[in-house]
Amino acid sequence: MLFAFGDSYADTGNTKIAVTRSWHFPYGITFPGKPSGRFSDGFVSTDFVAGFLGMKTPIPYRWRKELSGRVKYGLNFAYGGTGVFDTLVAEPNMTTQIDFLQQLINDSVYTKRVLRTSVALVSLAGNDYSYYLETNGSAAAFPGFIQSVVNQLMVNMKRIHDLGVRKIGVMSLISLGCTPQNTAGSSFQRCNETENDLVMLHNNLLLQAVDTLNQQTNSTLFFIIDLHNAFLTVFNGTETHQGSPTFENPFEPCCFGVTEGFFCGSVDENGGKKYTLCSNPKTKLFWDGNHPTSEGWRAIYSTPAFQNTLKQFID
């Protein structure tokens, strides 16, 4: 069974309808044809990882009572907009998400025996860093903050393991300086390399953290899912995987606010839409300012970098 923890790169519908755009049109137009709470026009990383493992996509934690028959396949505890620490989004951070699993174990929903065959997908896509910048964190103190984020992520992964989950894969950070949110200022032409340097620091520290966890447990149960290089392969158009699309201007999203202050799915007080929408999301790597399209995730998932690291779930 598969458990997912983290943020919008993994969330399949936990975030409350009132607080998120992912429950509004045009999210979900490709799959399932209406908004499902996924931050995409269709599928997200959890769907592809579950498919790779030959499992059903785990249902969102918030539907565990309504869809109790599906709980045996695992649960998705990820909430869009969250981080390892609290962010501007008033949803459960990763510590609280792990508390949810702990409570289910205490309530005997999951036994130690069942957990021994389970795996966990951990997504940290950078909301802690957005929050740091939005609350005027200094550039000088940023590297130290990155270290504290990775340290907390390490604590979280160790705790998931200690609860009995067999293998834990954590996704590395994509080049955040290349997301539409950060390239809109250059008319979707140039990455913000300062931001990408900070991403490299995060990913290097994450590598060290995973090595430390494996040494401490004398195992190879912790590993990195190489989202960073998988993304770059697709972004740079160097993917030769059979049938994998090359995207039109990879910087430019399918769905974007008409001006600053508006986002994909924004409407004015009269219900008039305040975003532009491309005619075919399959031609775009990014769906909105921060999230890949369903086709973008498929291309990322299909790269050797992603496939080879996913294999560690089953080795």
Side-chain angles (χ1 to χ4, degrees):
M1 74 173 69
L2 172 64
F3 295 111
F5 300 91
D7 48 38
S8 56
Y9 274 24
D11 185 2
T12 53
N14 273 318
T15 312
K16 289 192 280 292
I17 292 172
V19 300
T20 181
R21 300 193 305 279
S22 65
W23 283 104
H24 297 274
F25 184 85
Y27 286 80
I29 55 169
T30 302
F31 171 85
K34 61 183 182 186
S36 70
R38 287 172 173 84
F39 290 77
S40 170
D41 62 304
F43 296 112
V44 294
S45 69
T46 312
D47 299 299
F48 288 102
V49 172
F52 176 86
L53 295 168
M55 299 176 180
K56 290 185 170 162
T57 295
I59 59 164
Y61 172 73
R62 65 180 284 199
W63 303 120
R64 68 195 178 282
K65 294 200 168 79
E66 293 84 348
L67 298 169
S68 56
R70 293 277 303 275
V71 171
K72 62 177 178 284
Y73 300 115
L75 278 172
N76 189 335
F77 298 98
Y79 284 78
T82 65
V84 295
F85 302 126
D86 287 341
T87 60
L88 290 173
V89 174
E91 296 282 13
N93 67 23
M94 203 182 290
T95 298
T96 309
Q97 293 172 25
I98 300 166
D99 289 343
F100 293 156
L101 176 58
Q102 171 109 52
Q103 188 58 52
L104 291 169
I105 294 167
N106 293 349
D107 295 342
S108 303
V109 173
Y110 296 114
T111 63
K112 288 285 185 199
R113 189 173 64 82
V114 164
L115 288 170
R116 274 203 294 272
T117 61
S118 68
V119 296
L121 169 69
V122 178
S123 170
L124 190 132
N127 293 314
D128 292 289
Y129 302 137
S130 306
Y131 180 64
Y132 181 84
L133 294 170
E134 283 161 4
T135 51
N136 299 320
S138 75
F142 212 152
F145 179 68
I146 292 172
Q147 180 73 67
S148 67
V149 166
V150 174
N151 286 351
Q152 183 59 45
L153 191 54
M154 189 171 158
V155 168
N156 293 350
M157 291 169 69
K158 176 78 165 60
R159 194 172 153 221
I160 294 166
H161 170 264
D162 289 346
L163 286 174
V165 176
R166 186 176 62 89
K167 280 210 163 178
I168 295 138
V170 59
M171 291 198 284
S172 55
L173 266 187
I174 69 164
S175 302
L176 295 174
C178 301
T179 61
Q181 176 122 0
N182 287 316
T183 62
S186 68
S187 303
F188 307 116
Q189 298 299 320
R190 273 191 318 282
C191 297
N192 175 335
E193 292 307 335
T194 311
E195 192 140 353
N196 284 347
D197 288 344
L198 294 164
V199 165
M200 292 310 292
L201 174 59
H202 169 97
N203 285 338
N204 287 334
L205 291 172
L206 185 61
L207 195 59
Q208 291 169 26
V210 165
D211 283 345
T212 301
L213 285 169
N214 282 329
Q215 283 166 11
Q216 285 174 356
T217 53
N218 194 21
S219 73
T220 53
L221 301 177
F222 301 90
F223 64 95
I224 289 173
I225 299 169
D226 196 359
L227 181 58
H228 182 81
N229 283 311
F231 168 79
L232 283 180
T233 301
V234 176
F235 186 81
N236 294 327
T238 51
E239 180 51 78
T240 53
H241 180 80
Q242 186 183 357
S244 183
T246 310
F247 296 100
E248 295 170 3
N249 180 2
F251 290 100
E252 199 169 29
C254 175
C255 185
F256 209 67
V258 288
T259 52
E260 206 172 335
F262 292 112
F263 308 94
C264 178
S266 290
V267 291
D268 61 22
E269 57 274 15
N270 302 317
K273 66 177 193 158
K274 289 300 197 178
Y275 59 89
T276 56
L277 183 63
C278 69
S279 57
N280 182 6
K282 283 194 162 150
T283 62
K284 298 292 186 185
L285 170 56
F286 278 103
W287 167 244
D288 61 12
N290 298 296
H291 305 98
T293 55
S294 199
E295 197 62 40
W297 275 119
R298 185 185 307 282
I300 288 164
Y301 166 77
S302 302
T303 60
F306 209 77
Q307 289 284 315
N308 291 339
T309 45
L310 274 186
K311 281 181 186 148
Q312 293 171 88
F313 269 135
I314 45 184
D315 285 349

